[in-house]
Amino acid sequence: QVQLVESGGGLVQAGGSLKLSCTDSGRTFSRYAMGWFRQAPGKEREFVAAIRWIGGSTDYADSVKGRFIIARDNTKNTLYLQMNNLKPEDTAMYYCAASLYSGPLYISLRPNALRYDYWGRGTQVTVSS
């Protein structure tokens, strides 16, 4: 069984930093890209950032540009999200996801274009003011 497990969430003060991790649990697999998504109570899930596994090109939501950094370690099949200068509006459950896409390499990383096949159960990030 293929599973993804997030870790690193917690409670931090505004302006602080936090680093999330996401790793394979169970069978490993080949992937085109991985991404981070978040969902706050009463709101829809939103795209945060994504990275292509080969090459490492990235895409970020406007709300986190300049503050968050997405990275991956191919040798460990691990995804990271370094979150800096956190704001209360960043409070949400954060999910990692992996795409098994095998088509043309130019496809957008946004979820309206790229299907994300595997999802973790989430890790809570709470930012206090």
Coordinates of all heavy atoms in Angstrom, one line a residue, residues 35-73:
G35 N 3.3 18.1 -4.1 CA 2.8 19.5 -3.7 C 2.3 19.5 -2.3 O 2.0 18.5 -1.7
W36 N 2.1 20.8 -1.8 CA 1.5 21.0 -0.6 C 0.2 21.8 -0.8 O 0.1 22.7 -1.6 CB 2.4 21.9 0.3 CG 3.6 21.1 0.9 CD1 4.9 21.2 0.4 CD2 3.7 20.3 2.0 NE1 5.7 20.4 1.1 CE2 5.0 19.8 2.1 CE3 2.7 19.8 2.9 CZ2 5.4 18.9 3.2 CZ3 3.1 19.0 3.9 CH2 4.4 18.5 4.0
F37 N -0.8 21.4 0.0 CA -2.1 22.0 0.0 C -2.5 22.3 1.4 O -2.0 21.7 2.3 CB -3.1 21.1 -0.7 CG -2.8 20.8 -2.1 CD1 -1.8 19.8 -2.4 CD2 -3.4 21.4 -3.2 CE1 -1.5 19.5 -3.7 CE2 -3.1 21.1 -4.5 CZ -2.1 20.1 -4.8
R38 N -3.5 23.2 1.6 CA -3.9 23.5 3.0 C -5.4 23.7 2.9 O -6.0 24.2 1.9 CB -3.2 24.6 3.6 CG -3.4 26.0 2.9 CD -2.5 27.0 3.5 NE -2.7 28.3 2.9 CZ -1.9 29.4 3.2 NH1 -0.9 29.3 4.0 NH2 -2.2 30.6 2.6
Q39 N -6.0 23.5 4.1 CA -7.5 23.7 4.2 C -7.8 24.2 5.6 O -7.4 23.6 6.6 CB -8.3 22.5 3.9 CG -9.8 22.7 3.9 CD -10.5 21.4 3.4 OE1 -10.0 20.3 3.5 NE2 -11.7 21.7 2.8
A40 N -8.4 25.4 5.7 CA -8.8 26.0 6.9 C -10.3 25.6 7.2 O -11.0 25.4 6.2 CB -8.6 27.5 6.9
P41 N -10.7 25.7 8.4 CA -12.1 25.4 8.7 C -13.1 26.3 7.9 O -12.9 27.5 7.9 CB -12.3 25.6 10.2 CG -10.9 25.3 10.7 CD -10.0 25.9 9.6
G42 N -14.1 25.7 7.3 CA -15.1 26.4 6.5 C -14.6 26.9 5.1 O -15.4 27.6 4.4
K43 N -13.4 26.6 4.7 CA -12.9 27.0 3.5 C -12.5 25.8 2.6 O -12.3 24.7 3.1 CB -11.6 27.9 3.6 CG -11.9 29.2 4.3 CD -10.7 30.1 4.3 CE -11.0 31.5 4.9 NZ -9.8 32.4 4.8
E44 N -12.4 26.0 1.3 CA -12.0 25.0 0.4 C -10.5 24.8 0.5 O -9.7 25.6 0.9 CB -12.4 25.4 -1.1 CG -13.8 25.5 -1.3 CD -14.6 24.2 -1.1 OE1 -14.1 23.2 -1.6 OE2 -15.7 24.3 -0.5
R45 N -10.1 23.6 0.1 CA -8.7 23.3 0.0 C -8.0 24.2 -1.0 O -8.5 24.4 -2.1 CB -8.5 21.8 -0.4 CG -7.0 21.3 -0.4 CD -7.0 19.9 -0.9 NE -7.4 19.7 -2.2 CZ -7.8 18.6 -2.8 NH1 -7.8 17.5 -2.1 NH2 -8.1 18.6 -4.1
E46 N -6.8 24.7 -0.7 CA -6.1 25.5 -1.7 C -4.7 25.0 -1.9 O -4.0 24.4 -1.0 CB -6.1 27.0 -1.2 CG -5.3 27.2 0.1 CD -5.2 28.7 0.5 OE1 -5.3 29.5 -0.5 OE2 -5.0 29.0 1.7
F47 N -4.2 25.3 -3.1 CA -2.9 25.0 -3.5 C -1.9 25.9 -2.8 O -2.1 27.2 -2.7 CB -2.8 25.2 -5.0 CG -1.4 25.1 -5.5 CD1 -0.7 23.9 -5.8 CD2 -0.7 26.3 -5.8 CE1 0.5 23.8 -6.3 CE2 0.6 26.2 -6.4 CZ 1.2 25.0 -6.6
V48 N -0.8 25.4 -2.3 CA 0.2 26.2 -1.6 C 1.5 26.2 -2.5 O 2.0 27.3 -2.8 CB 0.6 25.6 -0.2 CG1 1.7 26.4 0.4 CG2 -0.6 25.6 0.6
A49 N 2.1 25.1 -2.8 CA 3.3 25.0 -3.6 C 3.5 23.6 -4.2 O 2.9 22.7 -3.6 CB 4.5 25.4 -2.7
A50 N 4.2 23.5 -5.2 CA 4.5 22.2 -5.8 C 5.9 22.2 -6.4 O 6.4 23.3 -6.8 CB 3.5 21.8 -6.8
I51 N 6.4 21.0 -6.6 CA 7.8 20.9 -7.2 C 7.8 19.6 -8.1 O 7.3 18.6 -7.8 CB 8.8 20.8 -6.1 CG1 10.2 20.8 -6.6 CG2 8.6 19.6 -5.2 CD1 11.3 21.0 -5.6
R52 N 8.5 19.8 -9.2 CA 8.7 18.6 -10.1 C 9.9 17.8 -9.6 O 10.9 18.3 -9.1 CB 9.0 19.1 -11.5 CG 7.8 19.7 -12.2 CD 8.1 20.1 -13.7 NE 6.9 20.6 -14.3 CZ 6.6 21.9 -14.2 NH1 7.3 22.8 -13.6 NH2 5.5 22.3 -14.8
W53 N 9.7 16.5 -9.6 CA 10.7 15.6 -9.0 C 12.0 15.6 -9.7 O 13.1 15.5 -9.1 CB 10.1 14.2 -8.8 CG 10.5 13.6 -7.5 CD1 11.3 12.5 -7.3 CD2 10.2 14.0 -6.2 NE1 11.5 12.2 -6.0 CE2 10.8 13.1 -5.3 CE3 9.4 15.0 -5.7 CZ2 10.7 13.3 -3.9 CZ3 9.3 15.2 -4.3 CH2 9.9 14.3 -3.5
I54 N 11.9 15.6 -11.0 CA 13.1 15.7 -11.9 C 13.2 17.2 -12.3 O 12.3 17.7 -12.9 CB 13.0 14.8 -13.1 CG1 12.8 13.3 -12.7 CG2 14.2 15.0 -14.0 CD1 13.9 12.8 -11.8
G55 N 14.4 17.7 -12.0 CA 14.6 19.1 -12.3 C 14.4 20.1 -11.2 O 15.1 21.1 -11.0
G56 N 13.3 19.8 -10.4 CA 13.0 20.6 -9.2 C 12.4 22.0 -9.4 O 12.5 22.8 -8.5
S57 N 11.8 22.2 -10.6 CA 11.2 23.5 -10.8 C 9.9 23.6 -9.9 O 9.3 22.6 -9.6 CB 10.8 23.7 -12.3 OG 10.0 22.6 -12.7
T58 N 9.6 24.8 -9.5 CA 8.6 25.0 -8.5 C 7.5 26.0 -9.0 O 7.6 26.7 -9.9 CB 9.2 25.5 -7.2 OG1 9.9 26.8 -7.5 CG2 10.2 24.6 -6.7
D59 N 6.4 26.0 -8.2 CA 5.3 26.9 -8.4 C 4.8 27.2 -7.0 O 4.6 26.3 -6.2 CB 4.2 26.4 -9.3 CG 3.2 27.4 -9.7 OD1 3.5 28.6 -9.6 OD2 2.1 27.0 -10.1
Y60 N 4.4 28.5 -6.7 CA 3.9 28.9 -5.4 C 2.7 29.7 -5.6 O 2.5 30.5 -6.5 CB 4.9 29.8 -4.7 CG 6.2 29.1 -4.3 CD1 7.3 29.1 -5.1 CD2 6.4 28.5 -3.0 CE1 8.5 28.5 -4.8 CE2 7.5 27.9 -2.7 CZ 8.6 27.9 -3.5 OH 9.8 27.3 -3.2
A61 N 1.8 29.5 -4.6 CA 0.6 30.4 -4.5 C 1.1 31.8 -4.2 O 2.1 32.0 -3.5 CB -0.4 29.9 -3.5
D62 N 0.4 32.8 -4.7 CA 0.8 34.2 -4.5 C 0.9 34.5 -3.0 O 1.7 35.3 -2.5 CB -0.1 35.2 -5.2 CG 0.0 35.2 -6.7 OD1 1.0 34.7 -7.2 OD2 -0.9 35.6 -7.3
S63 N 0.0 33.9 -2.2 CA -0.1 34.2 -0.8 C 1.1 33.8 0.0 O 1.3 34.3 1.1 CB -1.3 33.6 -0.2 OG -1.3 32.2 -0.4
V64 N 2.0 32.9 -0.5 CA 3.1 32.4 0.2 C 4.4 32.7 -0.5 O 5.5 32.4 0.1 CB 3.0 30.9 0.4 CG1 1.7 30.5 1.1 CG2 3.2 30.1 -0.9
K65 N 4.4 33.3 -1.6 CA 5.6 33.7 -2.3 C 6.5 34.6 -1.5 O 6.0 35.5 -0.9 CB 5.3 34.3 -3.7 CG 4.9 33.4 -4.8 CD 4.6 34.1 -6.1 CE 4.2 33.2 -7.1 NZ 3.9 33.9 -8.4
G66 N 7.8 34.3 -1.4 CA 8.7 35.0 -0.7 C 8.8 34.6 0.8 O 9.7 35.1 1.5
R67 N 7.9 33.8 1.2 CA 7.9 33.3 2.6 C 8.1 31.8 2.8 O 8.8 31.4 3.7 CB 6.6 33.7 3.3 CG 6.3 35.2 3.3 CD 5.1 35.5 4.2 NE 3.9 34.9 3.7 CZ 3.1 34.0 4.4 NH1 3.5 33.7 5.6 NH2 2.0 33.5 3.8
F68 N 7.6 31.0 1.8 CA 7.7 29.6 1.9 C 8.6 29.1 0.8 O 8.8 29.7 -0.2 CB 6.3 28.9 1.6 CG 5.3 29.1 2.7 CD1 5.5 30.0 3.8 CD2 4.1 28.4 2.7 CE1 4.5 30.1 4.8 CE2 3.2 28.5 3.7 CZ 3.4 29.4 4.7
I69 N 9.3 28.0 1.1 CA 10.2 27.3 0.2 C 9.9 25.8 0.2 O 9.9 25.2 1.2 CB 11.7 27.5 0.6 CG1 12.0 29.0 0.7 CG2 12.6 26.8 -0.4 CD1 13.4 29.3 1.2
I70 N 9.6 25.3 -1.0 CA 9.4 23.9 -1.2 C 10.6 23.2 -1.7 O 11.4 23.8 -2.5 CB 8.2 23.6 -2.1 CG1 7.8 22.1 -2.1 CG2 8.5 24.1 -3.5 CD1 6.5 21.8 -2.8
A71 N 10.9 22.1 -1.2 CA 12.1 21.3 -1.6 C 11.9 19.8 -1.5 O 10.9 19.4 -0.9 CB 13.3 21.7 -0.7
R72 N 12.7 19.1 -2.1 CA 12.6 17.6 -2.1 C 14.0 17.0 -2.0 O 15.0 17.6 -2.5 CB 11.8 17.1 -3.2 CG 12.5 16.6 -4.5 CD 13.2 17.8 -5.2 NE 13.6 17.4 -6.5 CZ 14.6 18.0 -7.2 NH1 15.2 19.1 -6.7 NH2 14.9 17.6 -8.4
D73 N 14.1 15.8 -1.4 CA 15.2 15.0 -1.4 C 14.9 13.7 -2.1 O 14.2 12.8 -1.6 CB 15.7 14.7 0.1 CG 17.0 13.9 0.1 OD1 17.3 13.3 -0.8 OD2 17.6 14.0 1.2

